[in-house]
């Protein structure tokens, strides 16, 4: 393409040079001496043409060289840009590889941590399961004991007056009046009143009961969110009317400690051997028992301050001190403990009865506290 352009340009130059020199033609036409002159002119023209072609070729080569240099510079600049782009992409690749390695390491570390946490939680759950199973066994035993307490006033002496079903079959329907031997000699006969032995004995009648709407409404409100706190109207009334008076003894300071221990479920009542009782009077009394006679020593009750036959002692929490109590004091404390045990069972969801049955059982426990605070209690009959 370039050689054709060069030839065209050389042809145009030669044409212009021929047009500029008309003299040889006129000489040939007019004088007749065209031979030597025309030959000489022709040589000059050839030299001129060759020099012109060389100049043109030189200019063309220079222009071609400039164009090639420009293209080479452009190619070099483009190569530099490509090199920079490749370098940038290499850095991006290296950065991505590092981030990928860090992400993989963090993922493995996180997975290892999750597996470790899962193993720890599984071990803790298994431990809690074992503890829960142990608590369930204990609660089942307590429920069995509670059912026994519902049918009896104390585990050792069934309340046959309140539960006729515990009496022998031959004496269930006969009479309900039972006279306490110890009380017969304590209260003298009043003038105009018949002797206890001459009192008419009434046959057994069915016990009627009527629900108090105010007490039942307070119990239902407490049952929606059961708690042993005395902030509710139900427990506030029970504290005021039953628990407080039942645990109000002569020794007021110890009475408060006993009440706190009962509320915290940290009170312990246990029978004691007669040999361990601190003697106040040296005289011994005889008490009937299933195996004959047994001796008991009168000692001073820690709550009432009176000398009584103290066959039990109490312990408050983890303290090492023991306090000897009389049967009457024990009956009052036991009645309050039975009440707290039952409402704790309701709070823990262990009682499956309806609300009305729960209410009447609570009223029965309140009646036990009322009877106990008046001084009535059952003794072992053997």
């Amino acid at each position: 393409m370039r050689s054709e352009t060069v030839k065209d340009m050389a042809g145009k130059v030669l044409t212009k040079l021929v047009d500029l020199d008309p003299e040889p033609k006129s000489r040939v036409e007019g004088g007749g001496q065209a031979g030597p002159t025309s030959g000489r002119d022709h040589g000059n023209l050839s030299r001129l043409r060759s020099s012109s072609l060389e100049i043109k070729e030189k200019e063309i080569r220079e222009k071609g060289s400039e164009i090639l240099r420009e293209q080479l510079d452009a190619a070099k600049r483009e190569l530099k840009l490509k090199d920079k782009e490749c370098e940038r992409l290499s850095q991006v690749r290296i950065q991505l590889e590092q981030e990928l390695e860090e992400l993989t390491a963090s993922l493995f570390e996180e997975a290892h941590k999750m597996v470790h946490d899962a193993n720890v939680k599984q071990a803790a759950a298994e431990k809690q399961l074992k503890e829960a199973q142990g608590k369930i066994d204990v609660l089942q035993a307590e429920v069995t004991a509670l059912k026994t307490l519902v049918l009896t006033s104390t585990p050792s002496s069934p309340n046959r007056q309140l539960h006729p079903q515990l009496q022998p079959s031959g004496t269930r329907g006969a009479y309900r009046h039972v006279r306490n031997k110890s009380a017969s000699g304590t209260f003298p006969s009043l003038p105009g009143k018949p002797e206890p032995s001459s009192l008419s004995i009434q046959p057994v009648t069915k016990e009627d009961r009527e629900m108090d709407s105010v007490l039942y409404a307070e119990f239902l409100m407490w049952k929606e969110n059961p708690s042993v706190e005395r902030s509710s109207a139900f427990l506030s009334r029970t504290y005021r009317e039953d628990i407080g008076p039942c645990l109000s003894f002569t020794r007021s300071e110890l009475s408060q400690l006993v009440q706190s221990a009962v509320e915290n479920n940290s009170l312990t009542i246990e029978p004691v051997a007669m040999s361990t009782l601190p003697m106040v009077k040296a005289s011994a009394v005889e008490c009937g028992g299933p195996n004959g006679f047994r001796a008991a020593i009168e000692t001073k009750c820690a709550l009432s301050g009176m000398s009584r036959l103290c066959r039990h002692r109490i312990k408050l929490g983890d303290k090492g001190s023991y306090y000897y109590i009389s049967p009457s004091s024990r009956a009052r404390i036991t009645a309050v403990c039975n009440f707290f045990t039952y409402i704790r069972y309701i709070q823990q969801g262990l009682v499956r009865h309806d609300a009305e049955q729960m209410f009447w059982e609570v009223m029965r426990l309140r009646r036990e506290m009322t009877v106990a605070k008046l001084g009535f209690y059952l003794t072992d009959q053997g």
Side-chain angles (χ1 to χ4, degrees):
M1 186 73 179
R2 292 179 180 175
S3 60
E4 293 177 358
T5 304
V6 172
K7 290 179 180 181
D8 293 337
M9 292 177 65
K12 290 179 181 180
V13 171
L14 292 176
T15 303
K16 289 181 180 180
L17 291 176
V18 172
D19 294 335
L20 291 175
D21 192 13
E23 190 174 331
K25 184 179 179 183
S26 60
R27 289 177 181 174
V28 171
E29 291 178 354
Q33 296 178 355
T37 304
S38 60
R40 191 170 48 252
D41 292 337
H42 187 280
N44 293 330
L45 181 60
S46 299
R47 286 195 297 271
L48 181 60
R49 286 180 181 176
S50 61
S51 60
S52 299
L53 288 175
E54 290 177 358
I55 293 170
K56 293 297 181 181
E57 287 179 359
K58 185 177 180 180
E59 291 178 355
I60 291 170
R61 283 197 299 270
E62 290 178 354
K63 289 182 180 181
S65 299
E66 291 179 359
I67 293 172
L68 291 175
R69 276 196 293 268
E70 291 177 357
Q71 292 178 353
L72 181 61
D73 293 338
K76 288 182 179 179
R77 288 193 296 270
E78 187 175 359
L79 286 176
K80 288 182 179 179
L81 294 176
K82 295 291 184 180
D83 292 338
K84 291 181 179 179
E85 184 69 17
C86 291
E87 185 177 358
R88 187 183 67 81
L89 292 176
S90 298
Q91 293 178 355
V92 171
R93 186 186 65 180
I94 294 172
Q95 184 177 359
L96 288 176
E97 289 177 352
Q98 291 178 354
E99 291 179 355
L100 182 60
E101 290 179 358
E102 293 176 357
L103 179 61
T104 304
S106 62
L107 287 176
F108 275 108
E109 184 178 356
E110 188 69 22
H112 180 71
K113 183 179 179 182
M114 291 175 63
V115 171
H116 180 265
D117 293 342
N119 293 333
V120 172
K121 290 181 180 180
Q122 182 179 0
E126 291 177 355
K127 182 179 179 181
Q128 291 178 358
L129 178 61
K130 291 181 181 179
E131 293 177 355
Q133 289 176 349
K135 290 180 180 179
I136 289 173
D137 295 338
V138 173
L139 291 175
Q140 288 178 349
E142 290 182 357
V143 169
T144 304
L146 177 63
K147 291 180 180 179
T148 305
L149 289 176
V150 170
L151 297 176
T152 59
S153 58
T154 60
S156 60
S157 58
N159 190 343
R160 293 179 175 82
Q161 297 181 22
L162 297 177
H163 304 281
Q165 68 272 18
L166 299 178
Q167 298 179 1
S169 58
T171 59
R172 284 185 183 178
Y175 303 99
R176 291 189 62 190
H177 179 76
V178 177
R179 187 160 53 89
N180 194 333
K181 293 181 181 179
S182 62
S184 62
T186 305
F187 300 98
S189 300
L190 297 177
K193 297 291 182 179
E195 294 293 331
S197 59
S198 63
L199 292 175
S200 60
I201 300 176
Q202 301 294 332
V204 176
T205 57
K206 183 180 179 181
E207 183 182 24
D208 293 331
R209 60 189 183 185
E210 183 177 354
M211 182 181 295
D212 187 283
S213 59
V214 176
L215 297 179
Y216 188 60
E218 292 177 352
F219 174 76
L220 290 179
M221 189 177 299
W222 171 83
K223 186 177 177 296
E224 291 179 358
N225 188 17
S227 173
V228 294
E229 301 294 332
R230 64 177 73 184
S231 58
S232 62
F234 163 69
L235 281 183
S236 177
R237 179 190 295 272
T238 307
Y239 266 97
R240 183 175 64 253
E241 297 179 358
D242 300 311
I243 298 175
C246 194
L247 295 181
S248 178
F249 297 96
T250 305
R251 305 291 175 84
S252 59
E253 184 176 355
L254 183 59
S255 300
Q256 292 295 327
L257 295 177
V258 169
Q259 181 172 335
S260 299
V262 172
E263 292 172 351
N264 298 328
N265 198 20
S266 60
L267 179 74
T268 304
I269 303 178
E270 61 184 21
V272 295
M274 294 300 120
S275 59
T276 61
L277 288 173
M279 295 185 183
V280 176
K281 294 176 64 176
S283 59
V285 295
E286 292 180 347
C287 302
N291 298 325
F293 294 95
R294 56 188 175 89
I297 305 299
E298 288 188 355
T299 186
K300 187 174 290 187
C301 176
L303 292 171
S304 64
M306 303 178 67
S307 297
R308 290 291 183 267
L309 299 177
C310 300
R311 300 188 181 92
H312 295 81
R313 63 182 182 178
I314 60 174
K315 181 181 178 182
L316 307 179
D318 297 331
K319 297 180 180 179
S321 302
Y322 286 92
Y323 301 94
Y324 296 92
I325 57 174
S326 63
S328 176
S329 300
R330 172 180 175 265
R332 293 166 68 173
I333 296 173
T334 303
V336 178
C337 289
N338 290 341
F339 174 80
F340 272 102
T341 300
Y342 189 70
I343 65 172
R344 285 193 185 98
Y345 285 153
I346 296 177
Q347 181 186 9
Q348 296 170 4
L350 299 176
V351 182
R352 302 301 182 184
H353 298 155
D354 55 18
E356 186 173 348
Q357 290 177 327
M358 294 181 188
F359 172 76
W360 283 117
E361 179 60 24
V362 168
M363 293 300 105
R364 187 189 69 79
L365 294 173
R366 290 188 62 184
R367 181 175 66 180
E368 283 188 1
M369 289 189 286
T370 302
V371 173
K373 75 184 177 183
L374 294 176
F376 294 96
Y377 62 92
L378 295 175
T379 58
D380 297 335
Q381 301 295 331

